[in-house]
C-alpha cells in the first residue's frame, strides 16, 4: 500500500437529479442502452461522511449508519459495491470504514435517493485516495458512482449532465457523465422542480429489476431509438430556450418510462390514482393559462413539476391550491436546479 494516510475523516454533500431523457435499460457492466440527460437538484441531497483507519486485521471492516441507525441492507449493498470498485480504488480495501449517511429530503418519500447516495459515496471514497482538482477527476468519480447506480454518474455536475455515448456530442461517454452546463439557455438555469409526494411507500419493483426486465420488453429497440431521437430534439430546445418543445419531450419521456413498465413481463404500474389526477390538473392549468409549466416522473408515483423561476408565484399558488391536497400528508418538496456536490470536510 503506497498511501501514507493512516486515518482520517472525509465528508461530502451530493444532490439527486431528475432525468429529462430517461435511462431505462442497461448492459451487464452497467453501460446504458441509450444516452440520458438530467438536471441536478439543489435541495434533495445526501450527506455522507466516512471515518477511515488503516486496518490491523487481515480483512477490513465496514459499518454503515443510515440516519443514525445501523443499516444492514444498505451495508450489504455497499459491501458489494466496494468489491466491484476494488480494481479502480485498490487502497480502499486496506481501511476499516465507518460510513454515516443521511438525506435532506424526508425519509422514504420516493425520491430517487440512489443518485445522491452513490455520488456522495463515490466522492468520499475517491477523496480518501486523491484530491479532486480537475474535470478529469470528476469523470473518474462519475465512473465510480455509475458502478453503484447509473443515474448517480450524472449527479457530480452542476446544473445538468449527460451520460451515455451519442454521436451528437463528441465528449459523451458510457463510462462517465459530462457537464452539460455550457449547452443550456439561461432560462433553463432558473428551472424550478417542485415534487409532489403522491405516495411514500417503498416501491414493489426496484429500478434494478426494471432495468433487467427491459431486455425482454418487446418495445426495447424502439425505445432506445426513441430516446436518441428525443435527445436530438431536446438539445436545440435547451440551447435556444424553447420551453414548448422541451415540455413535449419531457412529458413523452415520463409517460414512455411508465408505459415500458406496463409492457414488461410481468407488467407493473407504479403510478397511483392521484398521479393521474395531478397530471390531468396540470394539463388543464397549462391549457387555461398558457404558462410554461411541464412535468416528469421518475420510476415512482411522484410528480416533478418544472417551470422557469419567473413564473414561480402563479404556478406555486396553483400547486398549493389544487395539487397539495392530492399529496400524501400534503407533502411537497420545492426544489430547483442546483450547483452540484460540495465537500464539507
Ligand atoms: O440509476 P438507477 O439504476 O436507479 O436508474 C434510474 C432510472 C430512472 O431514474 C428511472 C431514470 C434516470 O435516468 O434517472
Amino acid at each position: 500500500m503506497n498511501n501514507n494516510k493512516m486515518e482520517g475523516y472525509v465528508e461530502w454533500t451530493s444532490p439527486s437529479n431528475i432525468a429529462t431523457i430517461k435511462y431505462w435499460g442497461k448492459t451487464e457492466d452497467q453501460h446504458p442502452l441509450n444516452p440520458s440527460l438530467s438536471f441536478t437538484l439543489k435541495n434533495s441531497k445526501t450527506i455522507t461522511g466516512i471515518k477511515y483507519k488503516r486496518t490491523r486485521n487481515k480483512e477490513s471492516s465496514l459499518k454503515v449508519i443510515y440516519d443514525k441507525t445501523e443499516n444492514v441492507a444498505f451495508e450489504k449493498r455497499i459491501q458489494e459495491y466496494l468489491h466491484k470498485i476494488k480494481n479502480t480504488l485498490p487502497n480502499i480495501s486496506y481501511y476499516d470504514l465507518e460510513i454515516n449517511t443521511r438525506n435532506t429530503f424526508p425519509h422514504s418519500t420516493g425520491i430517487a435517493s440512489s443518485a445522491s447516495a452513490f455520488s456522495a459515496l463515490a466522492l468520499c471514497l475517491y477523496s480518501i485516495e486523491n484530491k479532486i482538482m480537475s474535470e478529469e477527476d470528476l469523470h473518474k468519480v462519475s465512473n465510480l458512482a455509475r458502478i453503484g447506480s447509473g443515474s448517480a454518474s450524472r449527479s457530480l455536475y452542476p446544473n445538468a449532465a449527460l451520460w451515455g455515448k451519442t454521436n451528437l456530442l463528441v465528449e459523451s461517454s458510457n463510462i462517465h457523465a459530462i457537464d452539460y452546463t455550457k449547452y443550456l439557455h439561461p432560462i433553463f438555469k432558473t428551472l424550478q422542480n417542485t415534487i409532489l409526494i403522491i405516495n411514500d411507500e417503498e416501491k414493489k419493483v426496484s429500478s434494478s429489476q426494471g432495468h433487467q426486465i427491459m431486455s425482454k420488453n418487446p418495445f426495447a429497440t424502439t425505445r432506445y431509438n426513441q430516446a436518441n431521437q428525443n435527445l436530438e430534439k431536446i438539445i436545440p430546445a435547451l440551447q435556444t430556450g424553447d420551453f414548448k418543445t422541451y415540455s413535449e419531450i419531457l412529458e413523452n419521456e415520463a409517460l414512455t418510462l411508465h408505459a415500458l413498465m406496463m409492457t414488461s413481463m410481468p407488467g407493473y404500474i407504479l403510478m397511483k390514482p392521484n398521479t393521474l389526477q395531478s397530471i390531468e390538473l396540470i394539463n388543464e392549468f397549462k391549457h387555461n393559462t398558457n404558462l410554461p409549466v411541464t412535468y416528469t416522473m421518475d420510476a415512482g408515483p411522484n410528480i416533478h413539476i418544472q417551470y422557469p423561476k419567473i413564473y414561480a408565484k402563479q404556478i406555486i399558488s396553483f400547486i398549493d391550491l389544487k395539487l397539495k391536497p392530492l399529496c400524501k400528508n400534503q407533502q411537497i418538496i420545492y426544489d430547483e436546479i442546483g450547483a452540484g456536490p460540495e465537500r464539507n470536510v
Side-chain angles (χ1 to χ4, degrees), residues 16-32:
S16 187
N17 65 71
I18 178 71
T20 58
I21 304 294
K22 309 288 182 187
Y23 149 57
W24 199 242
K26 62 179 177 184
T27 64
E28 258 172 33
D29 47 3
Q30 191 102 324
H31 288 192

Side-chain angles (χ1 to χ4, degrees), residues 17 19 21-24 36 114 149-151 154 207 211 257 298-299:
N17 65 71
I21 304 294
K22 309 288 182 187
Y23 149 57
W24 199 242
S36 59
S114 64
S149 154
S151 58
R154 300 186 308 242
S207 287
H211 286 292
L257 173 69
D298 234 321

Side-chain angles (χ1 to χ4, degrees), residues 1 6-7 52-61 92-97:
M1 178 174 175
M6 293 299 283
E7 60 186 298
Y52 59 94
K53 189 173 184 177
R54 201 175 159 177
T55 189
R56 292 169 190 276
N57 307 321
K58 228 168 156 198
E59 294 225 342
S60 59
S61 67
I92 292 297
S93 53
Y94 293 96
Y95 288 112
D96 291 327
L97 302 176

